Amino acid sequence: RDFKSDLQEYTQNKFTCIPTYQVVGEVGPDHDKRFDIEISIRNKVEGVGNGRSKKEAEQKAAKMALEKFLLNES
């Protein structure tokens, strides 16, 4: 599942804006690096993710934010 796309569609419909992703940490040697990503919506951090690639970390952050928004709707 592509959580980044799902979140972007959600935030465009709900808030008329798109999420921004920022690398807030990088650890490990070049061959085994891990990335920490924060996702902000309307200047508020709504999710964080960690992964072996920026893409993986962004997907995890987007999943966290999307689940948070959907949980608050129910």
Side-chain angles (χ1 to χ4, degrees), residues 2 4 21 35 37 50-62:
D2 184 0
K4 282 180 67 176
Y21 296 84
F35 297 91
I37 299 278
N50 179 284
R52 292 186 174 272
S53 68
K54 290 178 186 175
K55 183 176 181 177
E56 179 186 348
E58 288 171 347
Q59 285 290 335
K60 288 180 179 179

Side-chain angles (χ1 to χ4, degrees), residues 15-59:
F15 307 118
T16 63
C17 68
I18 59 171
T20 57
Y21 296 84
Q22 181 176 356
V23 177
V24 293
E26 245 178 80
V27 293
D30 286 342
H31 68 278
D32 190 25
K33 208 169 269 298
R34 307 240 356 136
F35 297 91
D36 295 316
I37 299 278
E38 284 183 350
I39 183 170
S40 298
I41 299 161
R42 297 183 302 176
N43 298 316
K44 181 179 177 204
V45 175
E46 298 289 357
V48 294
N50 179 284
R52 292 186 174 272
S53 68
K54 290 178 186 175
K55 183 176 181 177
E56 179 186 348
E58 288 171 347
Q59 285 290 335

